Amino acid sequence: MLVERKCYRRPVTGNTVSPVKIGVLGAARITPMSLINPAKRNIEVVVATVAARDVARAKAFAAKHAIARVHDSYEALIADPDLDAVYVPLPNSLHGRWTRAALAAGKHVLCEKPFAANAAEARVVADLAEQSGRTVMEAFHYRYHPLALRIEQIIASNELG
């Protein structure tokens, strides 16, 4: 099955490409592995800010992971005009709510699985993404891992089976 993927195009300033600035909602344990560490290896991505229910926890998380700024609420992070995208690693029951809020604020969204609680909520999120011209992506990490590409190559080559 072929899936067309819309990609966010970063603004070009002079001869350089501005990095995608991402804000993180929550201080979840998955965030370093899924976003922060990969972003450190990519000059086109900056994890710029974090917000958590507890500001002290957000500050400790930011200090531990060299995140420059902390917002005192999820709403403040989403409203930040310097951010291009929001990463949502919150509890599953909050994914739809904060994904919709980020889209409404004009942000692209990377959301941990599941990005919606059911098909109806997924349709609302998809419609909002289309209306806003923003990309929403569910964080299926393995799908973009080099191992997945190698598996696809092996299957296509009939090397096995």
Side-chain angles (χ1 to χ4, degrees):
M1 180 170 121
L2 179 64
V3 177
E4 183 179 332
R5 295 195 177 123
K6 292 181 355 183
C7 294
Y8 169 64
R9 302 285 181 209
R10 291 170 299 286
V12 176
T13 55
N15 292 332
T16 62
V17 176
S18 299
V20 175
K21 295 178 196 153
I22 302 175
V24 178
L25 294 182
R29 286 181 289 173
I30 193 171
T31 304
M33 178 188 67
S34 63
L35 180 68
I36 295 170
N37 296 337
K40 287 178 181 176
R41 296 186 301 268
N42 187 335
I43 62 170
E44 296 180 345
V45 178
V46 172
V47 179
T49 187
V50 63
R53 287 175 296 172
D54 175 3
V55 175
R57 185 162 185 229
K59 287 178 180 178
F61 189 85
K64 181 176 181 178
H65 298 290
I67 298 173
R69 295 184 301 133
V70 173
H71 283 288
D72 60 2
S73 69
Y74 298 154
E75 293 88 355
L77 184 143
I78 286 173
D80 186 333
D82 292 334
L83 294 179
D84 302 302
V86 173
Y87 173 58
V88 183
L90 297 170
N92 294 354
S93 62
L94 299 175
H95 288 182
R97 172 186 175 188
W98 291 107
T99 294
R100 291 190 311 272
L103 287 169
K107 307 294 192 253
H108 299 280
V109 180
L110 174 62
C111 185
E112 282 301 329
K113 302 171 292 299
F115 81 90
N118 53 48
E121 186 174 57
R123 174 52 41 210
V124 169
V125 169
D127 290 345
L128 285 172
E130 186 173 331
Q131 292 164 11
S132 69
R134 297 296 180 249
T135 298
V136 172
M137 186 169 181
E138 195 168 41
F140 272 97
H141 303 277
Y142 77 88
R143 182 67 186 95
Y144 300 94
H145 193 280
L147 180 60
L149 175 61
R150 180 64 185 126
I151 291 168
E152 288 176 358
Q153 291 169 340
I154 290 170
I155 291 169
S157 73
N158 292 319
E159 187 176 323
L160 297 176

